[in-house]
Amino acid sequence: MKRWITGLLLVLSACVPILLSRATSPLLLADSDTAFILKTIRERQNPLSWLTGDWPLGNHFYRPISSLSFELDNRLYGDNSVGYGITNCLLAIACVLLLFWFLRELTDKVAVATSSAMLFAYWHWDGHGALGHLLRYACLLVVFFGLLRHGFAVTKWLPATLVLYFVSLEAAPFAWLEAGVVGWLPGRTATIMSFFALISLSAYARYERLSADRVKPVTTPLDPPATKGTQVSGAAPRAVWIWPLVSILALALCLGSYEQGVMVPSLLVVCACAMRVMGYRVRWGWQAAFWLTLVVYLLLRYLFVPSDPSRYQLQALRTGPGVWLDISAYALPALPMLPGFFRSFVGLPMIFLMSFWVTVVAIFANVAAVLQVKRRWHLALPSYALSLLAFLPMAWLSRFEHYHHLPMAFRSLFVVAMGLVALDLIVIAVSPQARQAPQRLSPAPGSLPRP
């Protein structure tokens, strides 16, 4: 328990810069979308009407929970932009803390949960390019010590260098969350959705972790013996049934906040699969309840919101290569670089440019990451799937920074998992080479004669 409290304090310390950089400018309320939302709210004077109709912008979106958050801020702060900025800031901090809770329930690893939540908080800071550069300098150190220790035996240090470089690419944020989520008031639709989505995932993971039967691993001679500090799972708490109900309620509120929430039932399936791999005998029947909640939401949306696309929706919808480039940025960071890479072969002088070789290294780094992910696949693959699924439907819309908020929460775990892979490879690279034991004589000197 003390380790988890220490981890929570570290995560809270990483949230302090978010609070210090909160938006306070009067221009927050001058934004055209924000001004129209507040104008509509003040003219209508009926908060409950958002439960049975379009949201204030009138562009055929069913977002009663997000609309009510603007209603609350309007009642509390009026035209004081500082209060609205504090609300956006506190929502972002709450999402960081809820990510810590979710990873605590999913992985039960304090170092993984703490570092992932701190990385997610770091992506909310105002100016966050230093981490990627720091990791690239670490790559140079790995190369230096690899050459110093092993000479030109590249098989020792090259995998570690390439995977570490891959981590440096992944540590660079996909979006500017400080500007698109903390500093833009309509961006709170995504943070409110993330807030309830993470509660839903955390509550479900906690339910399975506390009450699901677990497959006992086969005991081997290499397993450490049981000691006084060994934890033995006991009986499940009596009120454990409340957690799936909390998960369903949070899912309903998530769906009523932002359309990206339709992916949360899929994320709950990925969460269940991850816990099944970890040995938990998950109860798949609850997944039907989650999908039924989505069906009810779609029915309400059909009843209360016009089904024909609005002019805004027609303008925002897009097709073409931009969709696949955005998806590929989540699939593998080097993929968006490939078109420019192949175009560079048109002119031979391009191979003398630094950008060409940076792309080459990035491509090899992606290949190395795919080959080495097996070392921590139980952490890397679920987080990879969560981030990609969470972003998937937003790729067909014109780019906004807040689309990436929930996907980047899960991406932080993927970055940490690949960081652990890089650490494993660095340890292998710097460890002394194993020596072959001398051949044993037969019979060994001093042994008893054999019949």
XYZ file of all heavy atoms in Angstrom, residues 16 61 94 120 197 225 229 256 261 264 357 372 396 411 430-431:
126
model
N 1.000 19.141 -11.257
C 1.152 20.532 -10.825
C 1.394 21.467 -12.009
O 0.771 22.539 -12.092
C 2.280 20.646 -9.775
C 2.584 22.105 -9.463
C 1.879 19.906 -8.498
N -25.549 16.711 -32.594
C -24.790 15.874 -31.669
C -25.572 15.760 -30.359
O -26.088 16.763 -29.853
C -23.404 16.458 -31.383
C -22.461 16.375 -32.551
C -21.783 17.494 -32.996
C -22.248 15.169 -33.205
C -20.909 17.424 -34.069
C -21.384 15.085 -34.282
C -20.710 16.211 -34.712
N -8.035 15.201 -13.439
C -8.836 14.046 -13.017
C -8.618 12.860 -13.954
O -8.558 11.706 -13.504
C -10.311 14.432 -12.979
N 1.460 10.632 -19.267
C 0.225 11.243 -19.766
C 0.077 12.666 -19.241
O -0.328 13.570 -19.977
C -0.962 10.384 -19.346
C -2.278 10.831 -19.906
C -2.414 11.116 -21.252
C -3.386 10.962 -19.087
C -3.642 11.529 -21.777
C -4.602 11.373 -19.597
C -4.735 11.652 -20.945
N -15.102 7.376 -19.308
C -14.590 6.149 -19.929
C -13.583 5.461 -19.019
O -13.610 4.233 -18.850
C -13.963 6.471 -21.282
N 10.320 -19.261 -3.086
C 9.461 -19.911 -2.091
C 8.547 -18.903 -1.406
O 8.802 -17.706 -1.393
C 10.479 -20.502 -1.096
C 11.681 -19.610 -1.233
C 11.725 -19.199 -2.672
N 6.027 -12.358 3.571
C 5.455 -11.250 2.809
C 4.654 -11.679 1.590
O 4.147 -10.838 0.857
N -23.064 9.955 -23.323
C -23.786 11.211 -23.356
C -22.894 12.434 -23.335
O -23.406 13.565 -23.302
N -17.186 8.163 -27.475
C -17.475 7.168 -26.451
C -18.065 5.884 -26.989
O -18.110 4.879 -26.262
N -16.007 2.758 -26.388
C -15.692 2.245 -25.047
C -16.120 0.789 -24.869
O -15.390 0.005 -24.247
C -16.293 3.162 -23.974
C -16.092 2.582 -22.568
C -15.652 4.548 -24.058
N 18.235 10.132 -43.671
C 18.766 9.096 -42.793
C 17.997 9.008 -41.483
O 17.911 7.927 -40.887
C 20.254 9.351 -42.537
C 21.053 9.202 -43.796
C 21.628 10.182 -44.532
C 21.308 7.982 -44.482
N 22.242 9.674 -45.646
C 22.062 8.310 -45.648
C 20.985 6.652 -44.257
C 22.483 7.354 -46.547
C 21.418 5.692 -45.158
C 22.155 6.043 -46.284
N 10.894 -7.134 -31.189
C 11.236 -7.268 -29.777
C 10.043 -7.111 -28.843
O 10.185 -7.286 -27.636
C 12.297 -6.226 -29.400
C 13.612 -6.359 -30.143
C 14.348 -7.650 -29.813
O 14.151 -8.252 -28.759
N 15.212 -8.078 -30.726
N -11.710 9.808 -39.586
C -12.489 10.235 -40.738
C -13.072 11.637 -40.565
O -13.897 12.061 -41.353
C -13.610 9.239 -41.003
C -13.142 8.047 -41.774
C -13.172 7.878 -43.121
C -12.551 6.846 -41.252
N -12.643 6.661 -43.473
C -12.261 5.999 -42.345
C -12.251 6.396 -39.966
C -11.681 4.747 -42.189
C -11.676 5.162 -39.804
C -11.386 4.346 -40.909
N -1.971 5.196 -24.850
C -0.670 5.142 -25.514
C 0.469 5.284 -24.517
O 1.579 4.775 -24.748
C -0.570 6.265 -26.557
C 0.458 6.012 -27.645
C 0.051 4.839 -28.502
N 0.924 4.630 -29.647
C 0.637 3.805 -30.641
N -0.482 3.109 -30.639
N 1.477 3.650 -31.652
N 24.873 -4.816 -22.003
C 25.993 -4.462 -21.121
C 26.421 -5.615 -20.227
O 27.443 -5.523 -19.553
C 25.622 -3.245 -20.236
C 25.279 -2.043 -21.091
C 24.472 -3.569 -19.287
N 25.639 -6.690 -20.204
C 26.002 -7.827 -19.358
C 27.192 -8.560 -19.965
O 27.355 -8.612 -21.195
C 24.821 -8.782 -19.209
O 23.735 -8.137 -18.577
